[in-house]
Amino acid sequence: MAVTIADSQPIRTKKKIEKILEEKKSGTGLCAIQDFLDHLGDRWSMVVIFHIGYANKLRFNELKKRVTGISQRMLTVTLRSLERDGLVIRSIFAEIPPRVEYELSPLGASLLEAMMRLGEWAREHQSEIEQARRKFDKKK
Amino acid sequence: MAVTIADSQPIRTKKKIEKILEEKKSGTGLCAIQDFLDHLGDRWSMVVIFHIGYANKLRFNELKKRVTGISQRMLTVTLRSLERDGLVIRSIFAEIPPRVEYELSPLGASLLEAMMRLGEWAREHQSEIEQARRKFDKKK
DNA sequence: CGGTATCCTTGGAGATACTG
DNA sequence: CAGTATCTCCAAGGATACCG
């Protein structure tokens, strides 16, 4: 049944890209990835999502230990932003000392899944890019 | 043959994330996505890749028309960066007036493929995020 | 047409100190 | 423990003008 017509693939891909690049009338008027990158294309958001998704549940300082190089301020800012976007759930436990736990919402989990391919691509082709870069710099 | 064991899925995912987050000893010492985002997580790179991939081949000013809001300078900077990373191929034709065409390299094309899922996610969940944001802002 | 070169502004992000 | 509040600084990026 699943007849694969090789030539239909690029056409379907084209249609998908078309929709992704289509400018939304509502809100910012930007297309989907631009809107996405405006909020999640910063230095930390995606990395934090990967880490929370990996651990399922993480406390603030545990997360800070794992995300190499992040400052306390930026972790707070990033987490608030992710919480605001409905991607991360923040649970506060009224204990002493206070305990706060972060986990992915279902929406956040679905995003993590969508990011997996990109993450794997990044890992697989990291050295290829570094190589291309060295080659380019040498020529010029 | 393809027996799907539901419980093995999260485990495989975990292993994948582990590798994605693993800190590379060579180069910057950052993990794969951090390294990736440092170069491609800016405002324009991914959008430009989508546009070039969609059109197969594009001239400078044609690209500028399509990427809403980009300045001439940023388009140049972005294209140079993508060329340096080996993702985009720049072809100069010695004509008058001069003609320059941009297209994806095989590496760039494979990246586009990896970005498709993310792009589709962005499109599908754009309104959900906007909604979460409004809800969050109302409460606070 | 397809860019450089230069100036200038803004806000992203680190460092530090304080708090419920 | 898990933050907030300031201060500060640097560089990403817009505007503008010029060039092969």
Side-chain angles (χ1 to χ4, degrees), chain B residues 11 18 26 38 40 48 52 70 72 74 93 117 137:
Chain B
I11 294 164
E18 209 165 300
S26 75
D38 275 355
L40 296 156
V48 167
I52 297 179
I70 198 167
Q72 191 173 39
M74 284 320 293
F93 298 88
R117 262 208 150 67
D137 292 342

Side-chain angles (χ1 to χ4, degrees), chain A residues 18 23 41 54 68 84 137, chain B residues 18 23 41 54 68 84 137:
Chain A
E18 209 165 302
E23 290 168 25
Y54 177 69
T68 319
R84 188 169 105 100
D137 292 343
Chain B
E18 209 165 300
E23 289 169 25
Y54 176 70
T68 319
R84 189 170 103 100
D137 292 342

Side-chain angles (χ1 to χ4, degrees), chain B:
Chain B
M1 286 303 104
V3 182
T4 306
I5 302 160
D7 290 317
S8 78
Q9 194 56 31
I11 294 164
R12 286 221 305 278
T13 299
K14 271 209 146 192
K15 293 236 170 185
K16 284 180 185 178
I17 298 179
E18 209 165 300
K19 287 192 173 182
I20 291 167
L21 293 175
E22 191 178 18
E23 289 169 25
K24 261 259 181 106
K25 301 301 171 190
S26 75
T28 50
L30 296 171
C31 70
I33 354 119
Q34 280 186 296
D35 194 41
F36 176 87
L37 290 169
D38 275 355
H39 296 280
L40 296 156
D42 64 294
R43 195 174 205 71
W44 303 113
S45 294
M46 298 212 214
V47 187
V48 167
I49 289 175
F50 268 109
H51 276 284
I52 297 179
Y54 176 70
N56 288 327
K57 230 172 218 188
L58 273 179
R59 299 179 62 171
F60 187 87
N61 276 316
E62 189 54 36
L63 194 48
K64 187 169 180 306
K65 267 180 218 162
R66 299 191 186 202
V67 183
T68 319
I70 198 167
S71 66
Q72 191 173 39
R73 199 181 86 90
M74 284 320 293
L75 182 53
T76 304
V77 170
T78 303
L79 284 169
R80 285 297 173 285
S81 166
L82 294 177
E83 193 195 353
R84 189 170 103 100
D85 288 352
L87 300 166
V88 158
I89 296 168
R90 179 168 176 258
S91 309
I92 312 151
F93 298 88
E95 302 171 0
I96 291 176
R99 181 161 58 99
V100 179
E101 282 180 356
Y102 294 92
E103 62 192 312
L104 294 184
S105 71
L107 187 63
S110 80
L111 171 56
L112 177 61
E113 217 186 301
M115 296 192 318
M116 288 297 294
R117 262 208 150 67
L118 196 66
E120 289 186 278
W121 187 94
R123 192 177 63 80
E124 285 165 17
H125 299 282
Q126 195 172 18
S127 57
E128 243 173 297
I129 288 186
E130 276 168 20
Q131 207 178 315
R133 220 173 277 162
R134 276 194 299 274
K135 196 173 155 191
F136 185 90
D137 292 342
K138 211 186 294 175
K139 280 197 302 185
K140 286 271 161 159

Side-chain angles (χ1 to χ4, degrees), chain A residues 42-110:
Chain A
D42 62 295
R43 196 175 205 71
W44 302 113
S45 293
M46 298 213 213
V47 187
V48 167
I49 288 175
F50 268 109
H51 275 284
I52 297 178
Y54 177 69
N56 287 329
K57 231 172 215 185
L58 274 178
R59 299 179 62 168
F60 187 87
N61 276 318
E62 188 54 36
L63 194 49
K64 187 168 180 308
K65 267 181 216 160
R66 299 191 187 203
V67 183
T68 319
I70 198 168
S71 67
Q72 191 173 39
R73 199 180 86 90
M74 284 320 293
L75 183 54
T76 304
V77 170
T78 303
L79 285 169
R80 283 299 172 284
S81 166
L82 295 176
E83 192 195 356
R84 188 169 105 100
D85 288 351
L87 299 165
V88 158
I89 296 167
R90 179 166 174 260
S91 309
I92 312 150
F93 298 89
E95 303 172 355
I96 292 178
R99 182 161 57 101
V100 179
E101 281 180 356
Y102 294 91
E103 63 191 312
L104 294 185
S105 70
L107 187 63
S110 81

